Amino acid sequence: MNSPKIPDYLDKPSGCIHINHDLSGPAMRLFNCFLAWCYEEIPLIDEIHIFSIPRKVVEDYMRTRNEAAIRGWIKELGDGSVEWNDLGCGWGKGGPSWGYYKFIQEPEMRGAFITFGIARTLRGFIANSTMFARINMLIERRFKKTKYALPIYELGLDYRDNKDKILGKGCTPWMTVEQFRKYMGIKPEEYQTGFGELNRRVIQNALKEVSAESDIKLALEKKTENRVVTHLRFVIDDNPANMSAREKIRRTMATLPGMGDKHQTEILKFAQAMHNAFGVTLPRARKIARLYVGHEPKLREVMEKIQHDKLAGKVKKKLGAYAAAVLEKENPVVAIQESEPNK
């Protein structure tokens, strides 16, 4: 019997990315671990809801059984607050003007489990978000050299498909140097001798690690005034060298010009069917639906299989998460690709 593990991907809302990152690298990874495990069951409710994750899942994901270290990271998350929309909540992606929440609330170790609460504001971001970045959980835990690699990686993923009309590549919006410092969680007294030190010790080290370990590459662009750097942004490219075959197919499908307005009705219809039948979250369902455009019989076949598994008692985790995983795995594009002989 396979041991439970964290899902391979986390659809992290933009409102959970465009925040101040005043955490250590391991604490940031642990937060994503908690979100990925509980993602499908995070409800938008007013009362406090207690979530639970097996301790072994955390130990396996964080690659340590050092209880003191895990407790330290949990305490860091419990103490740390997130100031949201102070950076524009995605620079123009909408939302109220300002607020903050704690990463997690009242965490406890209870035997073989770790329990914690999630603030209503954060649950609302996750439950209602229509804009999110698809985080590869296996990739993000590779970042070990600098804590700044993870926030830059997530920023790049969030704007991966935000194409600049001139460059034809994904670009983050321009941000001031101070906005960037706050996003990265850089203390006011750090790297104050000029942009050169910030670039050399923070930005370039993070970009090198992202390019070496992840499925994207980023390049820095700067704006200057009187020879002083005032604004910066990042240009984002796919990095096929670190992509799985399945991810390459998914990325190709996401950028096909034929997936435009004429297919939106079918995409919405398929997504609603997945949501109504199995509780797949609508943002994730819409992404999966794109893979079944023009293949409605295949979609019906896979959905019938999931329903059969449910009735047969084979679904051991949340139905929405199980259904999404099966629909992604058995989509017709991947099936066609994997059936072709190697040349």
Side-chain angles (χ1 to χ4, degrees):
M1 181 176 179
N2 292 331
S3 299
K5 67 182 185 69
I6 295 298
D8 291 342
Y9 293 92
L10 165 64
D11 290 334
K12 192 170 183 180
S14 295
C16 299
I17 292 174
H18 298 276
I19 62 174
N20 48 299
H21 290 85
D22 298 328
L23 294 173
S24 65
M28 282 188 257
R29 294 196 297 274
L30 181 60
F31 181 60
N32 279 356
C33 172
F34 284 171
L35 288 187
W37 180 261
C38 302
Y39 194 87
E40 293 293 338
E41 64 172 303
I42 291 176
L44 182 60
I45 51 177
D46 288 332
E47 65 270 18
I48 293 295
H49 184 88
I50 300 301
F51 298 91
S52 177
I53 181 171
R55 198 156 157 178
K56 187 178 187 307
V57 169
V58 171
E59 292 171 346
D60 289 347
Y61 189 76
M62 298 301 291
R63 292 173 173 166
T64 182
R65 282 169 172 70
N66 184 328
E67 184 171 316
I70 294 173
R71 284 183 181 180
W73 299 327
I74 292 174
K75 189 173 187 302
E76 197 176 341
L77 290 175
D79 291 342
S81 62
V82 178
E83 190 174 351
W84 55 274
N85 230 33
D86 194 56
L87 297 176
C89 196
W91 293 289
K93 289 198 173 187
S97 59
W98 179 84
Y100 79 95
Y101 57 80
K102 295 287 187 179
F103 286 96
I104 58 175
Q105 299 176 332
E106 299 182 345
E108 294 181 1
M109 283 188 171
R110 292 175 171 265
F113 292 86
I114 297 171
T115 62
F116 55 92
I118 295 179
R120 185 173 61 88
T121 297
L122 175 54
R123 283 183 272 127
F125 275 140
I126 294 169
N128 292 336
S129 178
T130 58
M131 298 179 182
F132 51 89
R134 192 170 181 79
I135 309 293
N136 187 317
M137 295 295 289
L138 299 178
I139 284 177
E140 64 99 28
R141 71 175 180 175
R142 297 177 188 169
F143 300 135
K144 300 290 179 64
K145 293 180 180 179
T146 169
K147 78 163 210 168
Y148 302 115
L150 180 57
I152 281 188
Y153 173 62
E154 293 188 353
L155 184 68
L157 289 179
D158 201 36
Y159 285 103
R160 194 177 194 172
D161 296 319
N162 181 49
K163 302 294 185 184
D164 181 272
K165 292 181 180 179
I166 297 175
L167 295 177
K169 296 180 180 180
C171 291
T172 67
W174 289 100
M175 64 193 101
T176 67
V177 173
E178 284 308 308
Q179 280 180 316
F180 175 75
R181 289 175 61 92
K182 191 163 188 176
Y183 171 76
M184 297 292 279
I186 298 172
K187 296 179 174 58
E189 66 272 13
E190 293 180 313
Y191 314 117
Q192 283 290 357
T193 60
F195 184 79
E197 183 189 17
L198 178 70
N199 185 31
R200 183 177 66 257
R201 298 182 63 183
V202 174
I203 298 175
Q204 292 307 317
N205 286 338
L207 297 189
K208 286 176 185 176
E209 188 166 12
V210 169
S211 294
E213 302 292 348
S214 85
D215 48 356
I216 61 173
K217 296 182 288 188
L218 299 103
L220 172 69
E221 288 195 342
K222 301 171 286 186
K223 282 184 180 178
T224 60
E225 186 175 324
N226 297 325
R227 298 185 178 181
V228 175
V229 176
T230 59
H231 293 74
L232 59 96
R233 73 172 182 176
F234 297 97
V235 179
I236 308 132
D237 265 326
D238 286 347
N239 188 7
N242 289 334
M243 283 185 191
S244 66
R246 192 177 299 276
E247 183 65 14
K248 288 177 184 176
I249 294 167
R250 184 181 286 118
R251 287 295 302 154
T252 300
M253 292 300 295
T255 55
L256 285 177
M259 301 298 286
D261 292 342
K262 72 175 184 177
H263 292 300
Q264 286 306 307
T265 300
E266 193 170 17
I267 289 170
L268 293 174
K269 171 186 168 185
F270 290 173
Q272 197 64 53
M274 297 174 203
H275 178 71
N276 292 344
F278 307 121
V280 179
T281 58
L282 282 173
R284 190 170 183 183
R286 284 193 289 270
K287 284 201 168 188
I288 297 171
R290 295 168 67 88
L291 300 172
Y292 286 88
V293 167
H295 298 279
E296 186 168 351
K298 177 64 177 178
L299 176 62
R300 292 181 181 276
E301 176 190 326
V302 177
M303 290 182 69
E304 287 173 5
K305 176 183 182 300
I306 295 169
Q307 183 65 17
H308 181 271
D309 288 350
K310 175 188 173 185
L311 296 176
K314 294 181 180 180
V315 181
K316 303 301 182 184
K317 57 182 180 179
K318 290 291 181 180
L319 179 59
Y322 177 84
V326 173
L327 286 159
E328 287 177 336
K329 180 180 179 181
E330 301 198 12
N331 78 77
V333 178
V334 172
I336 293 169
Q337 180 77 12
E338 293 183 345
S339 67
E340 292 179 353
N342 292 328
K343 296 182 181 179

